[in-house]
Amino acid sequence: MQVIVDNLPVLLQGLGLTLEYSAVAIVLMIIFGLIFALMRISKIWILRGVSTVYVEIFRSTPLLVQLFFIVLGLPGVIPLNEWFGPRNYPILAAALTLALNEGAYVTEIIRAGIQGVDRGQKEAAASIGMTGFQTMRYIVLPQAFKRMIPPLVNQAAQTIKDTSLLAPVSVVDLVYKGEIVIAATYAGFQIWSVVALLYFIVIFIVSKVAAYLERRLQVDKR
Amino acid sequence: MISVKDLHKSFGENEVLKGISNHVEEQEVVVVIGPSGSGKSTFLRCLNGLEKATSGVIEIAGMELTNPKTKLHELQQNVGMVFQQFNLFKHLSILENITIGPRKVLKQSKEESNAAARELLKKVGLTGKENNYPDELSGGQQQRVAIARALAMKPKVMLFDEPTSALDPEMVGEVLQVMKDLAREGMTMVVVTHEMGFAREMGDRVIFMDDGYIVEEGTPSDIFTNAQEERTKSFLAKIL
C-alpha cells in the first residue's frame, strides 16, 4: 500500500499528460473528421477519393503499427528529427497519428449522421425554397449533430484509452510513468492496478456523460 | 399557371413519364388519380423540381422550370408542396416549422413571421400547438401544420402528393376540410389522391393517369360516370 501512496504523485503526473494528449487528439480528430466527412459526401470525385483512401488506410491497420511507422520508421528516410528536433518530433508525430487514426472513425460517424437525416426533410426544405446551403445549415446539420453526439463521446472515450499506445514509442504518459515506477519498485501488481483504476475513473465519467447526452438529445423531442 | 409540354422522366432504363402535356389555369383545382406506379406522384414532383425532367418543358408560376438558367430555389418559393409523410422538421417546434421559411428564405422579421404563423395555425384549427413538436401531434394535425408551412411562403400554386394516404381514417376528414377551404379561396391546386369524394366535390378537372400517360381527363362527372377509356373504367370499378 505504501508503494502506491509513495508513487501516486508520479502516476497522477502521468495521468495529467495522458489527459493533455487526449484533449489535443480529441479536438484534432473532430476537425479531421468534419473535413474528411464533408469531402466524403462531396460531388467532386477526387475529394471523395482522397477521403475514402484516408479512412480505409487508418481503419485497416493497427494503431500501434501506424505509430511505429510514423514515429520511428519515417525518420529513417526523412530527416524529421532534425527538422522538428529529436525531442519534439516523436511527441508531435504520435499525437498527430493518434488524431488521424481516431479522425478516420469520426469521419464515418459524421458522414453517417449527415446521411442519416431523412430525405423527406431535405425535400421539405427544398419545397419551401431553401438553397442547398440553407438546407444543410438549418435542417440537416442540427438534426445530424444530435444524432452524432453519443457516438462521438464514445469515440472520445476510445481515444483516451488509445493514448496508452503512445508509451511504446517513448511518449511519456500514464503507462510510461507506470513502467518507470515498476522498474524501480518491482510492484507490478499494485502499480498496474492503480494505472487501470485511473483510466477506469476517467472513462467511467466520460461514458456517464455519453449516456446522459443520449437521453437528453434524442432527435425527436418529447 | 402551369403548362407542361411533352414531359418525359426516366429513372435509369425505366421510363416513368412517357410524354405528359397539360395546362392548369389560375384558381383551377386539378385532381390526378390512377393506380400506383402510374407516374402520378413523379409527375407532381417534376412540377416543383424535386425530380428533374428528362425532357420536355414545364412552366409554373411564371417561371420556366426546365430552363437551366432558372434558379430552382426561387421557383420553389412560389410552389407549395404537401407530402404524404408530412415531412415536418423534427427538431423545430410547430411555430418554427411554419416560420423558418419566411424568416430564412423571405427574410421576414420574427414578429411578422410569428404573427402570420399564428394566423395560419388558426386557419388550420391548431391554435395552441405553437410550442409542441411534430411527434407530439397526430398525423392529421401534422399534415395540417405541413399545409400551413407551405402557405406561409404565400405560394401561387399548391401541390398535394397523396396528402391523406398515411393517415388513420378518422383523420382524413380534417385534412380534406382544410384543403376544401383552400380551394374555395381560389388557390390553384394540383392534388394526387385516392380520395374520390374530394375529387368529385372539389375537382374542376380530373386527370386519370396510367403507365406514364394521361389516359383521360375531364370534369368529375365526365370521368366518374361517363369514362370513355377501358382502363379508366376498370380502375374506377376497382376503387369505387
Side-chain angles (χ1 to χ4, degrees):
Chain A
M1 199 62 203
Q2 192 56 40
V3 68
I4 294 174
V5 175
D6 287 347
N7 291 291
L8 199 55
V10 178
L11 294 176
L12 287 177
Q13 199 191 356
L15 179 65
L17 290 166
T18 286
L19 293 179
E20 272 177 43
Y21 293 130
S22 301
V24 170
I26 287 167
V27 169
L28 286 179
M29 81 179 187
I30 288 172
I31 294 170
F32 290 144
L34 193 58
I35 292 169
F36 284 104
L38 291 173
M39 283 167 67
R40 199 133 203 223
I41 57 170
S42 159
K43 290 193 181 83
I44 302 163
W45 70 269
I46 187 124
L47 295 181
R48 277 202 314 276
V50 168
S51 177
T52 305
V53 168
Y54 158 69
V55 169
E56 290 307 328
I57 286 177
F58 276 91
R59 284 202 313 181
S60 310
T61 54
L63 174 56
L64 191 58
V65 172
Q66 294 164 16
L67 285 163
F68 281 140
F69 177 80
I70 293 175
V71 178
L72 306 177
L74 277 187
V77 287
I78 308 170
L80 292 162
N81 282 324
E82 282 80 69
W83 294 349
F84 294 96
R87 284 174 64 86
N88 290 336
Y89 176 72
I91 294 173
L92 287 174
L96 194 64
T97 305
L98 179 62
L100 281 169
N101 176 281
E102 307 294 340
Y105 295 92
V106 174
T107 298
E108 287 299 276
I109 290 171
I110 294 179
R111 181 193 60 76
I114 290 173
Q115 291 186 337
V117 174
D118 178 25
R119 206 174 68 137
Q121 297 284 306
K122 290 176 231 175
E123 290 187 350
S127 81
I128 56 171
M130 284 196 180
T131 61
F133 175 80
Q134 287 170 329
T135 302
M136 202 43 137
R137 164 77 183 76
Y138 298 114
I139 306 301
V140 176
L141 281 180
Q143 292 188 37
F145 185 63
K146 289 181 180 178
R147 217 179 269 272
M148 281 165 353
I149 289 212
L152 280 180
V153 178
N154 286 331
Q155 194 62 43
Q158 184 65 44
T159 302
I160 296 168
K161 286 184 279 184
D162 285 348
T163 57
S164 62
L165 293 171
L166 298 185
V169 290
S170 305
V171 173
V172 181
D173 70 340
L174 178 54
V175 169
Y176 193 95
K177 290 281 189 194
E179 285 173 339
I180 290 175
V181 171
I182 292 164
T185 61
Y186 301 104
F189 177 78
Q190 292 90 328
I191 298 302
W192 284 126
S193 301
V194 176
V195 167
L197 184 66
L198 290 174
Y199 275 112
F200 179 84
I201 291 168
V202 172
I203 306 291
F204 185 77
I205 292 169
V206 171
S207 38
K208 281 293 147 199
V209 171
Y212 173 77
L213 288 172
E214 205 156 349
R215 279 198 307 277
R216 283 296 303 274
L217 291 172
Q218 281 166 354
V219 174
D220 312 319
K221 284 197 187 175
R222 275 188 194 277
Chain B
M1 185 57 72
I2 304 174
S3 158
V4 179
K5 285 190 200 106
D6 199 27
L7 170 63
H8 289 255
K9 172 68 188 176
S10 301
F11 294 104
E13 295 287 294
N14 182 21
E15 189 170 36
V16 180
L17 299 178
K18 300 171 180 170
I20 304 280
S21 295
N22 214 275
H23 196 83
V24 178
E25 296 294 333
E26 196 166 341
Q27 304 209 339
E28 197 178 10
V29 176
V30 174
V31 179
V32 184
I33 61 173
S36 59
S38 60
K40 54 193 195 305
S41 279
T42 304
F43 170 56
L44 196 76
R45 290 163 59 83
C46 282
L47 291 181
N48 76 341
L50 284 183
E51 301 292 351
K52 195 170 184 289
T54 306
S55 70
V57 178
I58 301 170
E59 280 180 42
I60 185 162
M63 296 173 89
E64 193 189 331
L65 171 63
T66 39
N67 184 335
K69 285 185 195 135
T70 301
K71 290 212 172 81
L72 194 55
H73 61 97
E74 285 175 10
L75 179 141
Q76 285 165 333
Q77 292 169 25
N78 293 311
V79 182
M81 176 110 178
V82 174
F83 300 87
Q84 184 177 353
Q85 299 295 341
F86 332 133
N87 294 346
L88 291 182
F89 303 129
K90 292 176 187 173
H91 63 305
L92 299 178
S93 71
I94 297 308
L95 194 73
E96 289 164 337
N97 260 278
I98 301 174
T99 57
I100 191 157
R103 290 197 57 196
K104 303 303 179 190
V105 178
L106 302 178
K107 311 291 180 200
Q108 283 181 13
S109 72
K110 191 172 181 176
E111 293 70 28
E112 186 186 1
S113 61
N114 278 356
R118 284 177 211 282
E119 274 305 304
L120 284 167
L121 278 178
K122 195 168 141 196
K123 182 185 172 116
V124 300
L126 289 172
T127 297
K129 299 290 184 191
E130 288 85 350
N131 297 320
N132 287 88
Y133 280 83
D135 277 13
E136 297 168 336
L137 269 54
S138 71
Q141 290 173 328
Q142 288 191 53
Q143 193 61 298
R144 285 185 281 154
V145 173
I147 294 172
R149 174 178 68 181
L151 291 176
M153 298 299 292
K154 299 202 176 8
K156 295 180 178 139
V157 184
M158 285 282 285
L159 308 176
F160 294 83
D161 187 7
E162 304 200 26
T164 57
S165 297
L167 297 176
D168 291 337
E170 73 269 23
M171 292 170 184
V172 170
E174 63 194 54
V175 171
L176 291 180
Q177 189 54 50
V178 170
M179 292 168 62
K180 286 177 191 172
D181 293 345
L182 205 54
R184 290 199 184 93
E185 288 168 20
M187 177 60 80
T188 309
M189 294 164 61
V190 180
V191 184
V192 170
T193 187
H194 295 291
E195 291 295 325
M196 296 304 147
F198 177 85
R200 264 182 223 265
E201 189 183 344
M202 298 311 299
D204 295 311
R205 187 150 53 93
V206 174
I207 292 176
F208 172 68
M209 280 182 69
D210 192 15
D211 194 30
Y213 296 100
I214 292 181
V215 176
E216 191 168 2
E217 61 177 305
T219 63
S221 59
D222 284 345
I223 298 293
F224 289 117
T225 58
N226 193 23
Q228 302 299 310
E229 298 288 333
E230 217 35 61
R231 278 192 283 177
T232 318
K233 285 182 202 167
S234 81
F235 173 73
L236 290 172
K238 275 182 224 149
I239 59 159
L240 288 178

